[in-house]
Amino acid sequence: MAQSVGIKDVARAAGVSVGTVSNVINRPDSVATETRARVLSAIDRLGYVRSESARQLRAGRSRIMGLLVLDMGNPFFVDVARGAERAAREDGLGVMVCNSAQSASEEAEYLSLFAEQRVRGVLLTPTDASGRNIDSFRRHGIPFVLVDRVAEGTTECSVSVDDVAGGALAVRHLVDAGHRSIAYVSGPPGLNQVRDRRTGALNALAEAGLGPDNLRELPTERLDVAAGRDAGARLLGLADRPTAVFCANDLLALGVLQAMYAAGVTVPDDLAIVGYDDIEFAAAAAVPLTSVRQPAVTMGALAAELLLEESETNGKRHEHRRVVLQPELVVRRSSLTAR
């Protein structure tokens, strides 16, 4: 196994002191041109790479920001990561992206890893409904910002979308199209986003003079395509099948669409479908999917900016803020049917 090259090896090869090598790396203008060239040549020849972990220990500050999301298989969170990475890069930081897989235990493990690595801060979409993981992480004094989640009961910053308004947009659209019996494929009930979108759906029904019985909920354990196919199969088995379905995200909606296609059920004539997130695949589906658009890239960027602001001031003069963005309904063929 090859040994790593250290700064002393570079100094020996270039015939200079360790301090001179350090100056070439950190303050190159302070070193004479000929000496600097000799040191850089030695660095290149030996393949020396500066130890970032050692630098962090000396400086007490990391150049890494943590990002922990529910599911990196969901393009929505990929877009959140893109926005966060863009903002972090402008400030000279990198982003360590981790996936909790909607598991509270995995979330706890990654938060512990972030603490061990002394990251600059963490962007977090929490999955632990009890809040214990956040409470435990807070003890480390590392700033964090909640993403796609309102900071209820906490003082930290958060960046989210008004999911109550989003759920209302989806179901109001279906009601306006003449639907009176609507299914809600909801995902894990412990997630605030799932509950808020259901609240919005019920609000839209109430506006139209319809009761909660007009919304039939089909919960799923996960928010992916496979869970959507399973929900679609359950929907097909109902004796009084609803005429429309609102799904808590686009992956669920695409799964429902697949189940309908396999069963010969026509979308939107036999069943109208509305998703949530407006991921790239929504417009490219076999039947282009109506969806509630979330500004995911903007959400990630704003969250990173808030985190950077807090970490750069060490919490001093930083005012925690809750940023709530507004969703937008994007209508496509999956819901365009008259009843």
Side-chain angles (χ1 to χ4, degrees):
M1 182 177 178
Q3 292 185 337
S4 61
V5 176
I7 192 169
K8 291 182 180 179
D9 299 308
V10 174
R12 189 179 305 113
V16 298
S17 68
V18 170
T20 299
V21 177
S22 177
N23 285 337
V24 169
I25 295 171
N26 298 298
R27 296 178 295 279
D29 292 341
S30 67
V31 182
T33 303
E34 182 181 342
T35 303
R36 185 167 67 241
R38 195 163 69 248
V39 172
L40 291 174
S41 176
I43 287 174
D44 183 61
R45 187 169 67 254
L46 297 175
Y48 169 75
V49 177
R50 179 172 65 172
S51 171
E52 177 62 18
S53 59
R55 190 203 66 78
Q56 288 177 200
L57 285 172
R58 291 192 301 271
R61 287 170 65 81
S62 170
R63 293 177 59 243
I64 298 296
M65 175 188 300
L67 170 63
L68 181 56
V69 299
L70 298 179
D71 180 13
M72 278 306 295
N74 186 338
F76 166 75
F77 288 112
V78 174
D79 285 343
V80 170
R82 283 175 51 216
E85 189 272 339
R86 184 182 303 164
R89 188 175 64 243
E90 290 178 357
D91 210 62
L93 272 66
V95 179
M96 180 193 298
V97 181
C98 297
N99 177 24
S100 72
Q102 300 174 44
S103 164
S105 61
E106 291 191 35
E107 177 181 85
E109 290 174 6
Y110 278 122
L111 288 175
S112 293
L113 175 64
F114 289 151
E116 291 171 7
Q117 295 296 317
R118 301 184 181 182
V119 296
R120 181 74 62 90
V122 174
L123 306 179
L124 171 64
T125 303
T127 191
D128 178 23
S130 72
R132 284 191 294 269
N133 287 343
I134 289 179
D135 289 340
S136 178
F137 184 70
R138 190 180 284 112
R139 293 179 302 173
H140 298 289
I142 297 174
F144 64 90
V145 174
L146 300 183
V147 185
D148 194 32
R149 167 86 175 269
V150 176
E152 296 174 349
T154 71
T155 60
E156 283 77 20
C157 290
S158 66
V159 181
S160 62
V161 166
D162 188 340
D163 284 318
V164 174
L169 282 174
V171 171
R172 190 179 296 123
H173 168 67
L174 293 171
V175 169
D176 289 346
H179 297 282
R180 295 297 179 266
S181 178
I182 301 169
Y184 176 43
V185 177
S186 61
L191 293 178
N192 282 18
Q193 299 92 323
V194 166
R195 295 197 300 268
D196 287 348
R197 291 165 197 178
R198 180 180 183 273
T199 297
L202 292 173
N203 289 348
L205 290 175
E207 290 172 7
L210 302 171
D213 291 344
N214 293 82
L215 187 73
R216 182 173 300 188
E217 186 167 0
L218 297 174
T220 63
E221 293 184 359
R222 301 186 64 80
L223 289 162
D224 54 24
V225 173
R229 284 196 297 267
D230 174 72
R234 283 184 279 153
L235 190 63
L236 288 167
L238 297 177
D240 52 344
R241 192 169 71 214
T243 61
V245 58
F246 165 45
C247 298
N249 77 357
D250 285 341
L251 296 183
L252 289 172
L254 292 171
V256 171
L257 180 60
Q258 289 179 5
M260 297 304 111
Y261 181 82
V265 174
T266 303
V267 175
D269 295 333
D270 297 327
L271 183 76
I273 302 177
V274 176
Y276 205 103
D277 289 340
D278 194 34
I279 62 176
E280 185 177 355
F281 299 135
V287 179
L289 185 66
T290 294
S291 184
V292 178
R293 175 178 294 165
Q294 297 199 81
V297 174
T298 299
M299 191 183 304
L302 286 174
E305 289 168 5
L306 287 173
L307 186 62
L308 289 167
E309 178 186 300
E310 181 174 0
S311 67
E312 288 168 0
T313 62
N314 292 320
K316 299 174 182 177
R317 302 183 307 280
H318 172 76
E319 184 177 335
H320 289 304
R321 299 195 297 277
R322 295 182 180 182
V323 179
V324 180
L325 305 174
Q326 290 304 307
E328 174 190 358
L329 181 69
V330 180
V331 179
R332 300 189 180 95
R333 191 154 59 89
S334 70
S335 64
L336 290 177
T337 178
R339 302 197 68 82

